[in-house]
Amino acid sequence: MDPVIIVGAGPVGLTLALALARQEVPCVVLDEGPGKDEPRAARTVVLREDTAALVERLTGMPLARAGAHWAGWRSMRRKQVMREVVFDDTEPAPLHIAQHLLTGALRAALAGERLVKVVVESRLDGLEQEPSGVTAHTRGPKGTWWRGSYLVGCDGPRSTVRKIQDIRFPGRTAVERHAVAALRTELPWHDEALLHRLPPWRMSGPSAGEVTARPLPDGVWRLDWLLPPGKDLVTPELLLTRIRETLAGWAGGTTPPYELLDTGVHTVHHRLARRWRADRVFLAGDAAHLLGALGTHGLDEGLRDADNLAWKLALAWHHGPHEALLDSYQTERRTIVAARLRAADQALPLLRGGGGLRAVVPGSSRGHDALLTEGHLGHGQLGAPGSYADSPLAPRHLEGEVPVDTPPGAPVTDVRVTAEDGTFVRLRDRLGRGALLVVLIAPGTGVWERKHWVSAGIMPQLAAAVTALPHPAELLVAESYPGAAAHTVLLVRPDGHLVTALGGVRPADLYAAAEATVGGPVKAQAEAGASAGSR
């Protein structure tokens, strides 16, 4: 079987390559660049808890060593503190990290990966599809033809893959613009991120009256000033003046010492590809969608694309064409990103329109602050991880289904579980291996060695049911799970989304749910794919 070809070596492409390799799928990554990123202090990314955990699981590197988990979040309007959030176990902190360090961690993990070949200075300029695979051509010093089973375009906003496949990419240009600076200084809010709307001091030059400060390690901060609509030039002199005014405003009138490390202008576009799949070719990350207004971050969604697609491609690679499962990638991921874009587009006129009745309606500023907080902290429609409740893979009519605090289709809570070898691990540590996870909730098992309860009670019956499933599955045991009664059985997808919760051992329901999760009977799907290819 030919490898999967991944076009683009940014965070999404490298994450997808690692995720596929962990499931024993070989990959070729076509990297247009020289194989390393230029360090840019002002080019940073914010990862939510689930996407940071995904990267840490794949790289084995604690990202907190290279980035910063915020101690808290503070939002202000004029001189008034509108909202304060302290991050803890119930409110996990986002991770702020320089993008070149994130990419470096992914590249370092790939360097020792026998199943992944990264080819630098190789720009895609053509591809052809056949029923049995994909052929891609690259130009450059190592220009040649590459043969693959599937191809995934992770090649950014100007995606060559998308253009060759003639996939439209409609949307809005320059939804927001921000002047950006990375500097080393001391601010009054130690390790807390800050959103300050309508600061009381007057800013020089064009201003939309909003500035964000996000901490990085070693006393470095990234500051973003929202710019008004238009194409006003942000000169170095203007930006330096803006920095001094902002720091002085926060320090009470005197600009504290600072070291300027990097500057830039960040322009946010909103676009969504019409299709994310064209037979054996897929799009992911910025090649498929652009978003980022109101504090949201597109890389989160790109990493979730990779997590969603990896286990589905792996199943198809190992077991043959599985069309319903592969189709579900576009259905699930595009639906969630489209909803996120709609929510942002609906909120933009309210938050950025200025003046009018909205400016004097009591409580409106607090409502605006809540929307912006959702975007920045990954909550609500603007920022929370999406749910696959309406997925074509969702099982229907399970008699034994019971409610837990995690709705079907949503990401599971990361609880401690006992693995099949008797070790205690986090549930997230077992994700991304291609297997379904079956989790029995059994209070009290955590204080006994596995050998004392593995053959007791309902465990033998459940183990037999798991062995009979139509796809490989791992049986785990947890002492508790939010909202779950004793003997509840959870079925979890390889990407960490809950399929269903069943009240007790129900082999027929468990089998039906597992079969639906992989898109139907594997053998029937493979035969259908072979029949289609022969026509």
Side-chain angles (χ1 to χ4, degrees):
M1 187 77 165
D2 294 316
V4 173
I5 299 173
I6 298 172
V7 183
V12 174
L14 298 176
T15 297
L16 178 60
L18 274 173
L20 287 170
R22 295 293 186 269
Q23 298 170 69
E24 297 297 316
V25 177
C27 306
V28 173
V29 180
L30 302 180
D31 186 353
E32 179 182 338
K36 59 181 180 180
D37 287 0
E38 176 190 1
R40 288 290 308 276
R43 190 178 188 190
T44 66
V45 294
V46 177
L47 301 181
R48 312 304 181 200
E49 182 195 19
D50 62 316
T51 50
L54 167 64
V55 176
E56 289 184 343
R57 186 172 71 244
L58 292 173
T59 63
M61 172 186 172
L63 293 182
R65 295 179 183 175
H69 281 292
W70 302 339
W73 164 268
R74 178 188 303 249
S75 58
M76 300 180 64
R77 186 174 187 270
R78 303 190 190 279
K79 296 181 179 181
Q80 181 182 4
V81 176
M82 305 292 290
R83 178 171 302 196
E84 289 185 272
V85 176
V86 177
F87 296 115
D88 53 27
D89 292 342
T90 61
E91 178 72 36
L95 176 72
H96 190 205
I97 184 171
Q99 182 164 320
H100 71 273
L101 295 178
L102 173 64
T103 306
L106 293 164
R107 288 188 188 275
L110 281 172
E113 183 51 68
R114 61 180 176 83
L115 291 176
V116 179
K117 180 184 176 103
V118 179
V119 188
V120 300
E121 297 181 338
S122 296
R123 180 178 177 81
L124 181 78
D125 63 0
L127 69 88
E128 299 174 0
Q129 289 202 62
E130 303 166 11
S132 59
V134 179
T135 303
H137 185 265
T138 57
R139 58 182 171 87
K142 300 180 182 179
T144 187
W145 289 95
W146 300 90
R147 180 70 180 171
S149 54
Y150 298 94
L151 183 145
V152 185
C154 304
D155 48 344
R158 297 180 176 84
S159 170
T160 301
V161 174
R162 190 184 64 240
K163 292 173 183 175
I164 290 175
Q165 293 301 127
D166 195 27
I167 297 174
R168 293 184 60 203
F169 197 40
R172 300 171 60 195
T173 300
V175 176
E176 286 186 351
R177 281 199 317 147
H178 298 260
V180 181
L183 47 90
R184 183 175 284 108
T185 189
E186 186 173 335
L187 295 183
W189 307 278
H190 183 63
D191 290 339
E192 289 186 3
L194 170 72
L195 170 67
H196 199 162
R197 304 181 68 213
L198 302 176
W201 60 89
R202 184 180 182 279
M203 289 190 183
S204 302
S207 173
E210 182 176 303
V211 58
T212 307
R214 303 183 183 96
L216 286 161
D218 302 323
V220 176
W221 293 80
R222 170 172 163 167
L223 273 57
D224 290 60
W225 293 267
L226 178 66
L227 298 172
K231 298 181 178 180
D232 297 288
L233 184 63
V234 181
T235 65
E237 294 78 12
L238 179 61
L239 188 52
L240 286 172
T241 302
R242 186 70 59 86
I243 292 170
R244 289 192 291 267
E245 291 173 342
T246 301
L247 295 182
W250 286 335
T254 302
T255 302
Y258 70 91
E259 177 188 0
L260 184 59
L261 304 175
D262 191 18
T263 62
V265 174
H266 175 55
T267 303
V268 176
H269 310 287
H270 278 183
R271 295 188 178 277
L272 185 65
R274 292 288 191 196
R275 293 179 294 142
W276 291 25
R277 182 188 181 193
D279 298 322
R280 289 179 174 266
V281 174
F282 299 82
L283 299 178
D286 286 352
H289 51 76
L290 293 176
L291 66 161
L294 307 179
T296 60
H297 295 273
L299 181 58
D300 267 325
E301 297 300 347
L303 296 177
R304 290 171 187 146
D305 294 345
D307 199 23
N308 183 290
L309 182 58
W311 71 274
K312 298 173 181 179
L313 278 180
L315 190 149
W317 194 90
H318 287 294
H319 300 287
H322 210 49
E323 299 306 310
L325 184 66
L326 294 177
D327 281 343
S328 73
Y329 165 67
Q330 171 177 301
T331 304
E332 291 179 345
R333 294 300 309 145
R334 192 179 186 279
T335 298
I336 283 175
V337 176
R340 185 96 70 230
L341 285 169
R342 281 196 301 272
D345 285 341
Q346 290 169 1
L348 274 166
L350 176 68
L351 293 169
R352 306 301 191 211
L357 179 63
R358 298 187 186 96
V360 296
V361 173
S364 63
S365 61
R366 292 191 177 276
H368 296 179
D369 175 75
L371 280 171
L372 286 168
T373 298
E374 284 187 355
H376 281 279
L377 301 188
H379 298 161
Q381 290 184 312
L382 285 178
S387 169
Y388 303 140
D390 298 324
S391 166
L393 304 181
R396 305 288 189 265
H397 311 302
L398 299 176
E399 292 183 1
E401 194 164 35
V402 295
V404 295
D405 286 359
T406 302
V412 292
T413 301
D414 187 28
V415 298
R416 191 181 82 155
V417 296
T418 305
E420 292 182 346
D421 62 2
T423 58
F424 294 113
V425 295
R426 305 301 301 181
L427 180 55
R428 277 195 181 131
D429 293 340
R430 314 308 288 182
L431 299 175
R433 300 171 179 225
L436 301 173
L437 302 182
V438 178
V439 185
L440 170 66
I441 311 305
T445 52
V447 299
W448 300 98
E449 290 188 38
R450 186 176 186 273
K451 64 183 180 181
H452 294 305
W453 49 258
V454 69
S455 60
I458 64 174
M459 275 298 291
Q461 183 186 4
L462 180 58
V466 171
T467 302
L469 292 180
H471 186 73
E474 180 179 10
L475 177 56
L476 305 168
V477 178
E479 277 206 88
S480 64
Y481 187 88
H487 296 171
T488 299
V489 175
L490 310 178
L491 180 62
V492 182
R493 296 175 16 155
D495 57 358
H497 288 254
L498 181 67
V499 178
T500 188
L502 301 174
V505 181
R506 296 176 173 267
D509 279 351
L510 191 61
Y511 190 99
E515 189 173 66
T517 301
V518 296
V522 174
K523 183 177 179 181
Q525 287 284 338
E527 290 174 351
S531 174
S534 64
R535 289 198 291 269

